[in-house]
Amino acid sequence: CAQIENFFWERIGAATIAVLGYCARLLKENRRRLALLGTSITKQKKRIRISAAYLFRIKIDERYLLILGGNIDQYQPVGGVYKFFPSAKIIREELGIERDTKFAEGPKAKDDIRITLPGKNLLKFMNWFDARIGREVDTWREFHEELVASGCLSVQNAIDTFEPEFIKRAPTKVQYKSQMGMDELLVFDIYEVILNEAAEREIRAAMNGDDERRFILVEETDITRECVSVDGVSKNIAGSAKWVISDGR
């Protein structure tokens, strides 16, 4: 009987450890969701700003390629905000989503996922966003717009070298942004594009002939300091650039 009892309790102990381990892993994997749920409850009557974008980690000679921003005078990674598809019309209405007009206006920006919504719908929005339905999921558009359409890279070289690999979702959280006057959640999906030799040569040539310094290569230390000297003038680097730094992922 004693052996049976010991066997029984050993099995109970093993099962308990397994369950606790599973719960710990589940909690770790979903801690961001739990944080968003908490925000949805505590800030349910406040509007929250959301900007959802994809950024590219592109390196040449072990330095990071950055581009001069269009809305703010700073250097930032190649990339841009995702867009809604027309099929998202219903969910936009259901969640009380409104356009954020503090940046670009006009037809080109009308479907940008740069929005505000009631805090109570924050988690619902992120669940919709992560389902990848009703929104842009391909990353070619901004790569083409910022590198090809700008004349930095030819279409053929862009096509030949464009094999974006998803690296990570930046672990951002809701924070109050004084410039916006409201709480904000910035969503950054990080992709890496490894340029082939032809693309590297073409980008170097374009940079050498670019008097406006639209494109620069910077060191990791420049990104962490959020500033870089360009032709003897100190220029800001966007805080979002830190997410493209190679950190093992």
Side-chain angles (χ1 to χ4, degrees):
C1 291
Q3 289 180 334
I4 294 175
E5 184 176 351
N6 289 337
F7 177 81
F8 174 77
W9 285 114
E10 286 176 2
R11 290 296 177 270
I12 291 293
T16 301
I17 292 172
V19 170
L20 290 175
Y22 172 77
C23 290
R25 290 194 301 273
L26 193 63
L27 181 62
K28 182 179 180 181
E29 293 169 359
N30 291 278
R31 63 185 183 277
R32 188 167 184 268
R33 280 288 191 277
L34 292 173
L36 292 177
L37 176 60
T39 301
S40 294
I41 295 172
T42 59
K43 300 180 183 295
Q44 58 180 306
K45 294 184 178 180
K46 293 184 177 181
R47 293 197 73 83
I48 293 178
R49 179 180 185 271
I50 300 176
S51 177
Y54 53 94
L55 306 176
F56 291 107
R57 175 194 295 167
I58 303 175
K59 299 177 73 173
I60 298 177
D61 301 328
E62 295 304 313
R63 292 184 293 169
Y64 296 87
L65 177 66
L66 300 182
I67 184 174
L68 190 62
N71 295 317
I72 303 176
D73 185 23
Q74 63 182 11
Y75 285 97
Q76 58 198 36
V78 174
V81 293
Y82 289 103
K83 288 186 177 292
F84 288 107
F85 286 154
S87 60
K89 182 176 185 296
I90 294 177
I91 195 71
R92 293 171 74 170
E93 293 174 351
E94 289 179 349
L95 299 186
I97 292 172
E98 296 178 1
R99 287 178 58 197
D100 172 37
T101 57
K102 291 183 175 65
F103 286 99
E105 294 274 5
K108 188 177 179 181
K110 71 182 182 68
D111 292 319
D112 286 355
I113 304 185
R114 189 183 278 132
I115 60 170
T116 69
L117 51 60
K120 64 180 182 180
N121 292 331
L122 177 61
L123 184 57
K124 292 179 182 178
F125 172 83
M126 287 308 303
N127 288 337
W128 168 84
F129 182 83
D130 286 341
R132 297 164 64 88
I133 297 173
R135 70 168 179 87
E136 182 180 45
V137 295
D138 184 78
T139 58
W140 168 255
R141 178 178 53 82
E142 286 288 350
F143 187 86
H144 178 275
E145 182 177 314
E146 297 193 338
L147 292 182
V148 179
S150 65
C152 186
L153 195 59
S154 67
V155 173
Q156 189 57 57
N157 276 338
I159 292 174
D160 290 345
T161 201
F162 188 70
E163 294 182 358
E165 177 185 0
F166 177 75
I167 301 298
K168 62 185 175 182
R169 167 77 56 82
T172 54
K173 59 184 179 180
V174 176
Q175 293 181 314
Y176 182 78
K177 195 69 173 288
S178 58
Q179 297 94 321
M180 301 298 172
M182 64 195 315
D183 289 302
E184 175 183 70
L185 176 64
L186 301 177
V187 180
F188 296 118
D189 287 341
I190 310 303
Y191 289 81
E192 182 168 31
V193 173
I194 298 177
L195 302 175
N196 59 30
E197 292 184 4
E200 283 193 10
R201 286 196 301 269
E202 190 172 19
I203 290 176
R204 285 196 195 93
M207 292 174 60
N208 289 335
D210 179 21
D211 295 333
E212 298 178 3
R213 295 294 186 264
R214 294 172 298 165
F215 307 93
I216 60 172
L217 296 175
V218 301
E219 304 286 349
E220 180 177 326
T221 52
D222 297 321
I223 292 177
T224 55
R225 290 187 295 110
E226 296 188 7
C227 67
V228 62
S229 178
V230 180
D231 296 333
V233 178
S234 180
K235 293 288 187 178
N236 291 331
I237 293 178
S240 60
K242 66 178 176 289
W243 300 118
V244 305
I245 291 176
S246 299
D247 55 359
R249 294 191 61 194

